[in-house]
Amino acid sequence: MRLVRTLVSDADSERVVAILDEENIDYVVTPEASAREDLLVVEFPVPEQALEVVFDRFEDAGVRADSYTVVTEAKAALSENMDDIEERFVVGEEEDSSIAAEELRSQALTLLPDAFTYYLLTCLSAVVATAGLLLDAPALVVGSMVIAPLVGSALTASVGTVLASREMILDGFKTQVYGLGVAVLGAITFGFILRSGLFLPPSLRPATTAQIAQRISPGLLSLTIGVCAGAAGAVGISTGISAALVGVMIAAALIPAAAAVGIGVVWTAPTIAFGAFVLLVVNVASIHVSSVAVFWYLGYRPDQWVPDDLRANASLRRFGPSLAVGGVLLVSVVLVGGLVSTHVTFEQSANAAVEETLAQEQYEDLELVRVQSAFNPGPLSGQPQEVTVTVRGPVGQTFPEVSDRIRDRLIAETDREPVVRVEFVTSQRSPPEHS
């Protein structure tokens, strides 16, 4: 429920009252207390779903609601026609759970904390994520997502894009870029302290840690996380769902990847650093694209948008910032998406080669545990593609040719000559007891 208090001139009051009467909304009109001439205060309660309808009618009638309008949350409203209004907008034919554009703008801006809090929490979340990745502790990685305040910057930029607000676009993207930079620097600093202080065993290989391995090989599933995070954030903020819930999802797509970039730098592992960086860029772009698409689907448009008039809406003067963001995101998706597509194709070939090889009779005692294809953009990197296959087999048996057979199949199916590493996990099984 929302309580609206707006200041209108005496000349506009008749049109405002007429609109409220037509919409069957109860209202109160009082003189403006400072005794300025020809000004009246109009106050009325409405469900949040009806707010945009009323504001649109005010705008169509030539009444400017932005001269002075305050919208506050009301716990409850009792009036003669309130039951009919709620029946119409909350559960009736005009039911719509999304909030008004003005309230959406305000909601997005309130999600941006002050600079000190934002960068401090971002740095702390990156430190926790770094510890969780190195310790292979999923609980710590999840904990880092909870304290990360990245939801505000991501959604501010997306709301600014869909509403063509240059200030919101700049604030959102600037805060997000700086925040992710702080996260990477925090991960580098913390990782350097851990490594130089010998707090971790010298034998630690970050690439073999499961939590890190999941963040250095961008693929279709990684893209899905970013798309879902952006869509969930857009739905959440536009329907009044707690920002903390959608914030965790957005942080899940960004913070662990940023921490993995720092780990790759500290351990001088280009494969980790580059793969995690590509994942970070993919998730940033997919979050913004999906959230803008959801906002647009929900009916949010720039203030000067003209329905069904492409020529009027193609104005660089009015919508230049939004078009610029769209161009940057398009280039990012094309360039990074091409790298991810190449990797996904090779990953599919690797999975198929491993499956076909292990299906042979001489390898029937081997059980596949995992296939990991290190992210590699192709011949331009100058480095061979690496594939690590983990299999489980019985104690005492050796399979010396399995890596060569997998490699031969990959060479036949792709244009690369990869390095194939097969890691064996031995196991024993006691026979069942017979009674």
Side-chain angles (χ1 to χ4, degrees), residues 5-56:
R5 185 178 292 108
T6 183
L7 193 64
V8 299
S9 65
D10 187 44
D12 290 337
S13 63
E14 293 184 4
R15 283 175 287 174
V16 169
V17 168
I19 292 172
L20 297 177
D21 285 334
E22 291 174 10
E23 297 293 341
N24 205 28
I25 297 174
D26 298 306
Y27 58 88
V28 175
V29 180
T30 57
E32 201 272 324
S34 63
R36 286 179 287 183
E37 295 183 0
D38 300 329
L39 290 178
L40 299 172
V41 176
V42 181
E43 181 179 285
F44 55 93
V46 288
E48 61 180 342
Q49 295 89 339
L51 196 59
E52 191 164 10
V53 173
V54 175
F55 282 163
D56 287 344

Side-chain angles (χ1 to χ4, degrees), residues 112-132:
L112 278 177
D114 63 274
F116 176 77
T117 302
Y118 176 79
Y119 294 120
L120 177 60
L121 287 179
T122 301
C123 183
L124 292 176
S125 66
V127 168
V128 175
T130 302

Side-chain angles (χ1 to χ4, degrees), residues 126-141 190 209 211-212:
V127 168
V128 175
T130 302
L133 294 178
L134 291 173
L135 294 174
D136 200 15
L140 290 179
V141 178
F190 184 60
T209 304
Q211 288 296 316
I212 297 178

Side-chain angles (χ1 to χ4, degrees), residues 51-129:
L51 196 59
E52 191 164 10
V53 173
V54 175
F55 282 163
D56 287 344
R57 292 213 55 187
F58 283 177
E59 185 177 354
D60 294 340
V63 179
R64 293 193 56 184
D66 59 352
S67 59
Y68 179 84
T69 299
V70 178
V71 181
T72 60
E73 184 175 359
K75 296 298 183 182
L78 302 177
S79 64
E80 183 178 351
N81 298 316
M82 184 54 65
D83 290 343
D84 295 336
I85 294 296
E86 289 180 337
E87 180 70 23
R88 173 184 169 189
F89 288 101
V90 178
V91 297
E93 59 183 12
E94 297 185 53
E95 183 271 333
D96 184 2
S97 58
S98 59
I99 61 178
E102 292 78 6
E103 191 170 355
L104 177 69
R105 190 194 313 269
S106 177
Q107 287 270 47
L109 292 174
T110 56
L111 291 177
L112 278 177
D114 63 274
F116 176 77
T117 302
Y118 176 79
Y119 294 120
L120 177 60
L121 287 179
T122 301
C123 183
L124 292 176
S125 66
V127 168
V128 175

Side-chain angles (χ1 to χ4, degrees), residues 105 109 112 156-157 160 164-173 321:
R105 190 194 313 269
L109 292 174
L112 278 177
T156 297
S165 172
R166 181 176 180 271
E167 292 76 11
M168 294 185 70
I169 292 173
L170 292 177
D171 287 345
F173 278 113

Side-chain angles (χ1 to χ4, degrees), residues 159-180:
V159 172
T161 300
V162 79
L163 298 182
S165 172
R166 181 176 180 271
E167 292 76 11
M168 294 185 70
I169 292 173
L170 292 177
D171 287 345
F173 278 113
K174 180 181 68 174
T175 306
Q176 187 168 48
V177 170
Y178 288 171
L180 292 176

Side-chain angles (χ1 to χ4, degrees), residues 126 129-135 184 187-192 194-195 204-207 209 211-212 216 256-270 272-273 276:
T130 302
L133 294 178
L134 291 173
L135 294 174
V184 173
I188 291 175
T189 303
F190 184 60
F192 179 78
L194 291 177
R195 191 178 188 189
L204 175 66
R205 292 174 52 202
T209 304
Q211 288 296 316
I212 297 178
I216 61 175
V261 172
I263 292 173
V265 172
V266 173
W267 267 263
T268 59
I272 295 178

